[in-house]
C-alpha cells in the first residue's frame, strides 16, 4: 500500500545537513522501497554535492534508527521500549509534578539549528505557552550567535549573507576569516575559485593551512584567539594608507571616530607581534580589499573560526568596522557576511527558540513584540515568560538550587557539542528527568530517562532558511518507520495532556501560516512568503512583507540600514586575551573544527557507512616539530589534557598547522570528544563559548 502523503518519483528537495542546503532530487520508488540522491541545479550548489549529501539517503534506511519510545524508571536501569502513551503520559506527569513543586521555569527546553522553521517556531511557542517557561535556548548559540549579535548592533539586522551566493563569484576580493568551506560545504568553493580565476583575491585567515587556504591567493596564519587584533591592524593600515571611503563613512555611518581612536594604537608591527601575521601580508590584504572595491567589489566573510571565542562578537564587530571603513556594505557584490553552519542555522534563530527572542526576530522584552505575538498565540501578553538563560548557562544551572529540574531536548546532541563536556554530563545527571527527541540513540539520548523517536529530513514537509536568507522547501519523500512520530505531533500531544491553551497544529503548512502572522512586522518578516511561492520561485528571501512583492535578495542597496537613523553603526572594540592562556602545565594552544565526512556532533553522519568508513575516529593535527618534542609519530595515540578534562585521538603530523597549535575535530563522543577539553568561557554579548582556543598539554599513550 502506497502512503500518498509522501511524494514519489523525482522529489525536489534539499540536503539533510548544512546551511548551504544544496538542491537535490530524491528518486523514490512507487512503494518507497528505495531512494536515490542526485544533485540538482540550485543557486547555492549549481549541481554540486559533497560526500555527505551524496550519501544522505542512507540515513533514511539505517537499521540503527529508533522506532519506539524508550524509558527507564530510575537511573542505572537500562532503557526499555514502551508505548507512546506510556512515554507521553510519563513526560506530562513529570512536567506537572516538577512545575507544581518548583515553578514553571523548572522545566527547560533545548532546541536545535537543524529543525525546520515550523518545528523551531512551534518549539518556542510550546515552551512559552504550553510549558510557560522562560528557559528555552538552542545549539545555535554555539554556532553563529556572535556574528548575529555583531550584525544586529552594526546593521540592525542579522542575515547570514547580504546577497544571493552567486553574487560572491562576481566580486573582486574576499577575506574569509576562520572558515574551511572546502571541507564543511565544498560546493561553496566554486564561488571563491571563480573570484580567484577571474584575477581577484581570495584571502583566508586560519591557524591551519586548510584545504580552503590551500586554494586561496593569500593565507594569513594568525595565532588562535587573535583575529580581533588582526582586524584592528587591518583597519589601521586602511586608514594610514588612505584606503578608507570618507564619503561613505560621513553619509552612511556613525561612530567612526571612536573606532579609529582604538585602531590608531594597532600599528601593523604591533598587530604582527600579537597575531604572527607579517606586516606585508596585512598590507596586501587591505590593498586587495581596496582594489576589489574599486573594481568588482569586496566581501568580508566570517565563520566559526572567528566567531567561537569569548570575544567573538567584538571580533566580528572589528571586521564589520573594517568593511564599513572601506565602504563595502550596500555596494554591488560587496559587504560583510556570516557563513552559517547548521542546516537551519538562519531560520532556527528567527522564530523564537532563542532565550531572548520571539518570532520575527523580535526581542522578548519589547512590550510591542509581546503584544503582537501574544495576539497571534491567543494568550495574554503578561502571561508570556521573559528572557531565559543562554544555552551553556542553562546547562550550568540544571539541577541546581533554583535551576531547571527537567529538560526536553529537540534536535541537539549537547553532550558532544557543548564545551566542557564532562561538566555537561554532570549537570544532566543532576536532573529529575531528561527527555530527548532524536532519530538515533545519540550520546545525549543514551543519558535520557525518556527517548522519543522522531522523524527526520525527507520524512516530513517543512521549510528551511539557508545561509543566504532564502526560505526553501523540504519535502516528505519517504514514510518514517512505524513507531516514529513528528516533533509537531509530540508537542501537540504533550500540550493536550497538559491541558494548556494555544493551538498546536501537527500540520507543518498550518504552522507556517501561523509563523507568517507571528513574524509580520518583525525584522525577519515572512508574512509575504507562502509555500506556493517557495515552490514556484524555488525559494523566497526574507524580509518579505507582502505576497505581491519579491523577497529582498540584496540588503542595504538603497544606501540605508534598518537602524533608527538609517545609518550603520561603527562600534569601538579592542583586543583582549582569550579566556585562558598557555602556561608550563598547558603549553600548547588547541583549536577545534570540522572535517569533510562528518557533520556537527556526528549524531547523523556517524551512522552513514560511507562516511564512517573514511572518517572513523578523530585525529590530532600536530606540527612535526611539536610532535618531535613529544616523541610522537604519525598514528600514535595521544591524550589531550586541559584544565577541564581530556580526550584521545591519533596524531596526524602535518606542517600545515602552526607549531604552537594543535587541531582536533569535534564530531565524536565519549573519550574521543574534544569538547571535554574546550573552555566554556562565554562571550559577554552573544554568550558564545570559547570553542576555538584553549590551553592543553599532550601525552603519548603507550602500548596502543
Ligand atoms: Fe551541500 Fe552541505 Fe549537504 Fe554537503 S552537507 S551536500 S555542502 S548542503
Amino acid at each position: 500500500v502506497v502512503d500518498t502523503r509522501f511524494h514519489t518519483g523525482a522529489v525536489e528537495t534539499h540536503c539533510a545537513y548544512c546551511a548551504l542546503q544544496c538542491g537535490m532530487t530524491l528518486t523514490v520508488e512507487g512503494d518507497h522501497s528505495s531512494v536515490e540522491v542526485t544533485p540538482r541545479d540550485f543557486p547555492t550548489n549549481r549541481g554540486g554535492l559533497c560526500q555527505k549529501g551524496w550519501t544522505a539517503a542512507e540515513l533514511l534506511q539505517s537499521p540503527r534508527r529508533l522506532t519506539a519510545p524508550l524509558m527507564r524508571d530510575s537511573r542505572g536501569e537500562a532503557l526499555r521500549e514502551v508505548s507512546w502513551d506510556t512515554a507521553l503520559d510519563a513526560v506530562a506527569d513529570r512536567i506537572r509534578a516538577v512545575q507544581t513543586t518548583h515553578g514553571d521555569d523548572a522545566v527547560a527546553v533545548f532546541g536545535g539549528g537543524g529543525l525546520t522553521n515550523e518545528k523551531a517556531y512551534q518549539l518556542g511557542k510550546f515552551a512559552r505557552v504550553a510549558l510557560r517557561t522562560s528557559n528555552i535556548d538552542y545549539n545555535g548559540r554555539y554556532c553563529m550567535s556572535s556574528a548575529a549579535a555583531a550584525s544586529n548592533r552594526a546593521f540592525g539586522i542579522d542575515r547570514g549573507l547580504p546577497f544571493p551566493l552567486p553574487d560572491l563569484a562576481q566580486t573582486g576580493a574576499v577575506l574569509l576569516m576562520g572558515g574551511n568551506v572546502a571541507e564543511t560545504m565544498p560546493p561553496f568553493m566554486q564561488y571563491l575559485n571563480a573570484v580567484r580565476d577571474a584575477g581577484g583575491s581570495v584571502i583566508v585567515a586560519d591557524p591551519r593551512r586548510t584545504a580552503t587556504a590551500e586554494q586561496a591567493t593569500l593565507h594569513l596564519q594568525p595565532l588562535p584567539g587573535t583575529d580581533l587584533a588582526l582586524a584592528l591592524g587591518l583597519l589601521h593600515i586602511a586608514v594610514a594608507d588612505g584606503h578608507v571611503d570618507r564619503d561613505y563613512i560621513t553619509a552612511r555611518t556613525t561612530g567612526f571616530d571612536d573606532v579609529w581612536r582604538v585602531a590608531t594604537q594597532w600599528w601593523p608591527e604591533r598587530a604582527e607581534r600579537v597575531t604572527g601575521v607579517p606586516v606585508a601580508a596585512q598590507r596586501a590584504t587591505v590593498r586587495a580589499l581596496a582594489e576589489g572595491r574599486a573594481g568588482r567589489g569586496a566581501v568580508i566573510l566570517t565563520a566559526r573560526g572567528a566567531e567561537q571565542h569569548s570575544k567573538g562578537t567584538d571580533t566580528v564587530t572589528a571586521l564589520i568596522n573594517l568593511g564599513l571603513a572601506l565602504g563595502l556594505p550596500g555596494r554591488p557584490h560587496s559587504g560583510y557576511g556570516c557563513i552559517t553552519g547548521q542546516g537551519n542555522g538562519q531560520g532556527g534563530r528567527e522564530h523564537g527558540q532563542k532565550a531572548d527572542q520571539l518570532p520575527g526576530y523580535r526581542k522578548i522584552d519589547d512590550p510591542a513584540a509581546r503584544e503582537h505575538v501574544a495576539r497571534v498565540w491567543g494568550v495574554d501578553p503578561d502571561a508570556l515568560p521573559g528572557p531565559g538563560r543562554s544555552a551553556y548557562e542553562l546547562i550550568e544551572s540544571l539541577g541546581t538550587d533554583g535551576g531547571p529540574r527537567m529538560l526536553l531536548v529537540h534536535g541537539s546532541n549537547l553532550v558532544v557539542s557543548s564545551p566542557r563536556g564532562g561538566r555537561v554530563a554532570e549537570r544532566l545527571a543532576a536532573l529529575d528527568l531528561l527527555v530527548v527527541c532524536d532519530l538515533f540513540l545519540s550520546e545525549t539520548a543514551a543519558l535520557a530517562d525518556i527517548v522519543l523517536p522522531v522523524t527526520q529530513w525527507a520524512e516530513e514537509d517543512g521549510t528551511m532558511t539557508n545561509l543566504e536568507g532564502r526560505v526553501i522547501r523540504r519535502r516528505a519523500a519517504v514514510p518514517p518507520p512505524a513507531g516514529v512520530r513528528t516533533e509537531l505531533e509530540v508537542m501537540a500531544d504533550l500540550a493536550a495532556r497538559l491541558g494548556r491553551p494555544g493551538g498546536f497544529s501537527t500540520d507543518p503548512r498550518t504552522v507556517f501560516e501561523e509563523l507568517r502572522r507571528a513574524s509580520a512586522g518583525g525584522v525577519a518578516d515572512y508574512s509575504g512568503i507562502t509555500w506556493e511561492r517557495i515552490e514556484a520561485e524555488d525559494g523566497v528571501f526574507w524580509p518579505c512583507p507582502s505576497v505581491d512583492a519579491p523577497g529582498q535578495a540584496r540588503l542595504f542597496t538603497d544606501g540605508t540600514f534598518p537602524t533608527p537613523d538609517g545609518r550603520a553603526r561603527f562600534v569601538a572594540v579592542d583586543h583582549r586575551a582569550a579566556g585562558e592562556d598557555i602556561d608550563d602545565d598547558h603549553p600548547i594552544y588547541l583549536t577545534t573544527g570540522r572535517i569533510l565526512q562528518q557533520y556537527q556532533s556526528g549524531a547523523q553522519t556517524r551512522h552513514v557507512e560511507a562516511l564512517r568508513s573514511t572518517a572513523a575516529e578523530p585525529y590530532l593535527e600536530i606540527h612535526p616539530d611539536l610532535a618531535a618534542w613529544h616523541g610522537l609519530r604519525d598514528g600514535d595515540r595521544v591524550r589531550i589534557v586541559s584544565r577541564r578534562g581530556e580526550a584521545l585521538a591519533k596524531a596526524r603530523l602535518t606542517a600545515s598547522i602552526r607549531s604552537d597549535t594543535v587541531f582536533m575535530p569535534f564530531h565524536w563522543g565519549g573519550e574521543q570528544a574534544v569538547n571535554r577539553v574546550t573552555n566554556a568561557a562565554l562571550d559577554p554579548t552573544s554568550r558564545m563559548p570559547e570553542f576555538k582556543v584553549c590551553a592543553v598539554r599532550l601525552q603519548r599513550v603507550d602500548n596502543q
Side-chain angles (χ1 to χ4, degrees):
V1 178
V2 176
D3 191 331
T4 53
R5 289 171 303 166
F6 299 90
H7 305 271
T8 53
V11 183
E12 295 198 344
T13 191
H14 295 268
C15 177
Y17 304 113
C18 85
L20 204 56
Q21 284 295 291
C22 293
M24 57 171 55
T25 301
L26 299 182
T27 305
V28 185
E29 285 296 319
D31 60 358
H32 297 106
S33 62
S34 82
V35 188
E36 201 178 286
V37 169
T38 47
R40 71 184 171 92
D41 196 26
F42 185 72
T44 60
N45 62 312
R46 287 178 169 161
L49 290 180
C50 78
Q51 215 174 329
K52 297 183 285 285
W54 276 110
T55 56
E58 209 179 310
L59 283 176
L60 301 164
Q61 284 138 2
S62 173
R64 301 181 189 180
R65 189 73 184 279
L66 297 175
T67 54
L70 305 174
M71 192 165 124
R72 66 178 120 229
D73 293 326
S74 64
R75 297 275 158 80
E77 266 189 16
L79 288 163
R80 62 188 161 81
E81 290 193 1
V82 295
S83 72
W84 272 97
D85 277 344
T86 302
L88 291 171
D89 285 346
V91 175
D93 287 349
R94 296 300 288 274
I95 290 171
R96 264 192 298 269
V98 163
Q99 290 190 321
T100 301
T101 309
H102 301 284
D104 290 340
D105 277 351
V107 176
V109 178
F110 201 98
L115 300 178
T116 60
N117 287 321
E118 291 76 11
K119 291 193 288 188
Y121 167 82
Q122 195 82 316
L123 194 61
K125 177 181 172 184
F126 177 75
R128 272 79 177 225
V129 175
L131 300 178
R132 299 192 293 242
T133 180
S134 67
N135 281 319
I136 172 169
D137 212 55
Y138 78 129
N139 64 17
R141 186 70 68 172
Y142 302 156
C143 191
M144 62 302 112
S145 61
S146 293
S151 292
N152 274 323
R153 71 184 183 188
F155 305 125
I157 190 171
D158 155 40
R159 201 183 79 183
L161 295 179
F163 45 60
L165 186 52
D167 280 18
L168 190 63
Q170 308 299 317
T171 198
V174 179
L175 170 60
L176 170 55
M177 298 286 295
N180 182 16
V181 288
E183 291 207 60
T184 54
M185 43 180 71
F188 192 108
M189 282 305 291
Q190 63 189 298
Y191 302 101
L192 295 181
N193 290 341
V195 174
R196 185 198 60 201
D197 295 347
S201 301
V202 177
I203 302 153
V204 173
D206 200 306
R208 307 161 60 218
R209 191 168 177 83
T210 59
T212 310
E214 198 64 52
Q215 299 176 61
T217 55
L218 178 62
H219 175 209
L220 314 178
Q221 206 159 8
L223 184 70
T226 65
D227 290 344
L228 176 44
L230 179 60
L232 288 163
L234 297 178
L235 179 58
H236 185 103
I237 292 172
V239 175
D241 291 2
H243 293 307
V244 300
D245 185 338
R246 295 278 174 192
D247 292 342
Y248 179 100
I249 292 171
T250 303
R252 299 200 195 177
T253 71
T254 59
F256 176 71
D257 290 347
D258 289 341
V259 165
W260 173 235
R261 255 191 292 282
V262 178
T264 190
Q265 300 158 39
W266 284 93
W267 54 94
E269 291 77 12
R270 183 183 176 205
E272 176 177 334
R273 217 165 39 245
V274 172
T275 66
V277 176
V279 171
Q282 295 177 47
R283 198 155 259 129
T285 300
V286 177
R287 200 167 48 238
L289 291 172
E291 285 172 4
R293 176 195 60 195
R296 297 194 303 274
V299 176
I300 297 171
L301 297 173
T302 64
R304 304 305 81 72
E307 299 161 10
Q308 287 181 322
H309 294 271
S310 60
K311 55 179 177 293
T313 304
D314 286 354
T315 300
V316 176
T317 295
L319 290 161
I320 291 174
N321 288 342
L322 175 65
L324 289 171
L326 293 170
L328 304 182
R331 274 182 206 267
H333 318 126
S334 296
Y336 162 74
C338 155
I339 303 174
T340 297
Q342 291 195 81
N344 200 22
Q346 182 70 51
R349 66 190 191 254
E350 297 165 355
H351 309 306
Q353 272 190 98
K354 239 176 154 179
D356 50 357
Q357 286 183 0
L358 289 173
Y361 221 126
R362 291 179 160 90
K363 291 201 170 83
I364 199 167
D365 52 7
D366 171 6
R370 295 171 67 84
E371 179 79 35
H372 170 83
V373 173
R375 201 165 44 243
V376 174
W377 288 351
V379 297
D380 178 353
D382 293 335
L384 286 181
R389 299 171 171 97
S390 74
Y392 190 76
E393 291 166 297
L394 178 59
I395 291 170
E396 273 280 350
S397 72
L398 297 175
T400 60
D401 276 353
R405 313 291 319 171
M406 180 171 170
L407 181 69
L408 311 179
V409 178
H410 292 256
S412 186
N413 187 12
L414 54 94
V415 169
V416 175
S417 61
S418 301
R420 204 176 172 189
R423 176 90 176 142
V424 174
E426 264 172 43
R427 295 324 316 153
L428 294 180
L431 286 166
D432 293 354
L433 197 78
L434 173 63
V435 181
V436 175
C437 291
D438 213 324
L439 327 174
F440 299 109
L441 196 67
S442 69
E443 285 80 0
T444 308
L447 299 175
D449 303 286
I450 298 176
V451 183
L452 303 176
V454 289
T455 46
Q456 58 164 321
W457 177 49
E459 295 167 352
E460 55 190 11
D461 275 311
T463 62
M464 306 282 277
T465 305
N466 74 1
L467 79 175
E468 309 165 282
R470 192 191 307 249
V471 185
I472 55 176
R473 272 279 276 118
R474 279 222 188 136
R475 290 178 175 82
V478 180
V484 167
R485 293 190 181 176
T486 72
E487 275 153 301
L488 293 182
E489 289 170 330
V490 170
M491 286 182 256
D493 284 345
L494 285 176
R497 279 172 164 77
L498 292 168
R500 300 279 163 89
F504 290 93
S505 174
T506 59
D507 171 36
R509 186 189 286 248
T510 305
V511 175
F512 188 81
E513 289 302 309
E514 188 182 304
L515 179 163
R516 289 176 60 202
R517 294 197 302 281
S519 75
V523 176
D525 192 333
Y526 280 51
S527 57
I529 303 175
T530 63
W531 277 26
E532 289 76 14
R533 280 191 70 177
I534 298 171
E535 305 224 356
E537 301 169 32
D538 210 2
V540 181
F541 284 87
W542 74 259
C544 183
S546 162
V547 287
D548 304 321
Q552 198 175 340
R554 295 175 182 83
L555 301 177
F556 321 136
T557 51
D558 66 354
T560 67
F561 297 88
T563 55
D565 61 3
R567 290 165 176 259
R569 292 175 288 231
F570 279 97
V571 179
V573 292
D574 203 353
H575 174 69
R576 57 186 184 273
E580 68 176 17
D581 207 350
I582 54 173
D583 62 11
D584 288 349
D585 278 345
H586 302 91
I588 301 160
Y589 295 105
L590 168 79
T591 191
T592 67
R594 296 151 174 81
I595 64 169
L596 174 64
Q597 297 90 345
Q598 300 289 345
Y599 175 68
Q600 305 296 18
S601 75
Q604 294 155 282
T605 44
R606 281 185 275 129
H607 293 282
V608 176
E609 179 54 32
L611 303 175
R612 197 173 54 236
S613 60
T614 50
E617 59 179 342
Y619 56 83
L620 186 80
E621 209 172 270
I622 179 170
H623 193 280
D625 293 348
L626 188 57
W629 178 36
H630 287 81
L632 286 167
R633 289 162 309 178
D634 204 54
D636 279 352
R637 296 260 287 168
V638 56
R639 179 177 288 113
I640 303 100
V641 183
S642 78
R643 298 178 177 109
R644 291 156 296 279
E646 53 188 63
L648 292 174
K650 267 191 181 162
R652 179 180 289 183
L653 273 57
T654 171
S656 65
I657 190 166
R658 292 176 60 103
S659 57
D660 54 7
T661 301
V662 291
F663 164 85
M664 185 168 161
F666 79 100
H667 311 289
W668 287 269
E671 61 183 15
Q672 298 177 321
V674 71
N675 276 330
R676 286 155 55 133
V677 169
T678 49
N679 192 357
L682 299 182
D683 181 294
T685 306
S686 65
R687 320 308 288 170
M688 166 75 83
E690 189 138 74
F691 291 101
K692 291 298 188 201
V693 55
C694 72
V696 298
R697 66 170 176 269
L698 305 180
Q699 296 168 346
R700 190 160 69 99
V701 181
D702 292 323
N703 306 320
Q704 299 281 336

